[in-house]
Amino acid sequence: MRCPHCGNFDDKVIESRTLANGDATRRRRECNGCGYRFTSYERIEDKQFMVIKRDKRREPFAREKIERGVQRALEKRPVSQMNIENLINEIEDAAAIKGKGNRELSAAAIGDLVMEKLSALDKVAYIRFASVYQHFENVEEFVRAIQKLEGTVDTNC
Ligand SMILES: [Zn+2]
């Protein structure tokens, strides 16, 4: 496959994984020219997995978008690239399974998946991501999210 980074056609498969009960196979590839890693999908149906955005428009699922958001949230955090890669794989797999029936999933559902996985990996990254993703309206909302995270939120409020 052609490397999206340098255009080289020579790559090696570094990981191959069956998703959603065999409906799809995801392959992580590494370009032999520049070392760039990218993902290819093989599916039974030639129908692309779509993301429904907030404004109801649909766009093809893009791992890179999740990757960008996660990388930004984890900037300067003590988390290895290996763990980040695994995290993104987990998010991607969970999204594929969740959206299996219609081959589409809302951006909000994907955002929730990212938050769920991030919160288990790194609390600071979770807060960073949540503050951008959920567009906290005010300080109270932000504080509530942190309290929820710490499990100290008063259920009466
Ligand atoms: Zn390349």
Side-chain angles (χ1 to χ4, degrees):
M1 287 193 153
R2 195 177 65 85
C3 168
H5 191 246
C6 74
N8 192 330
F9 273 92
D10 185 24
D11 70 79
K12 63 169 182 269
V13 174
I14 51 178
E15 191 201 349
S16 189
R17 216 178 140 177
T18 301
L19 304 179
N21 294 329
D23 285 355
T25 300
R26 185 195 67 224
R27 293 200 168 87
R28 284 297 282 163
R29 297 168 177 274
E30 190 177 293
C31 171
N32 287 329
C34 72
Y36 185 77
R37 288 185 175 187
F38 55 103
T39 310
S40 68
Y41 289 90
E42 190 182 309
R43 300 183 194 289
I44 295 166
E45 284 177 351
D46 191 24
K47 200 171 164 190
Q48 194 159 22
F49 192 79
M50 302 298 278
V51 176
I52 309 160
K53 304 207 298 178
R54 280 174 207 267
D55 61 10
K56 304 291 174 208
R57 279 190 298 131
R58 284 168 169 74
E59 65 177 25
F61 179 88
R63 178 190 168 97
E64 299 68 44
K65 284 198 171 173
I66 294 173
E67 202 162 353
R68 267 202 300 276
V70 167
Q71 291 280 9
R72 206 178 303 132
L74 281 163
E75 205 172 40
K76 299 201 174 101
R77 296 299 301 157
V79 177
S80 71
Q81 282 304 312
M82 179 79 139
N83 281 338
I84 295 175
E85 180 94 13
N86 286 339
L87 178 91
I88 296 162
N89 286 346
E90 280 175 24
I91 294 166
E92 197 172 27
D93 293 355
I97 290 163
K98 250 189 150 165
K100 185 178 177 280
N102 302 322
R103 295 199 181 276
E104 61 184 24
L105 198 61
S106 69
I110 292 173
D112 289 346
L113 281 175
V114 175
M115 290 205 289
E116 187 189 313
K117 301 286 182 191
L118 268 184
S119 113
L121 183 71
D122 187 281
K123 300 296 182 201
V124 171
Y126 166 82
I127 290 293
R128 282 181 187 164
F129 184 86
S131 66
V132 173
Y133 172 71
Q134 293 187 320
H135 309 290
F136 293 130
E137 296 281 330
N138 50 47
V139 177
E140 289 87 71
E141 229 182 293
F142 187 67
V143 169
R144 220 174 297 137
I146 294 173
Q147 285 173 338
K148 201 172 151 200
L149 186 66
E150 291 170 341
T152 55
V153 72
D154 183 357
T155 46
N156 295 322
C157 75

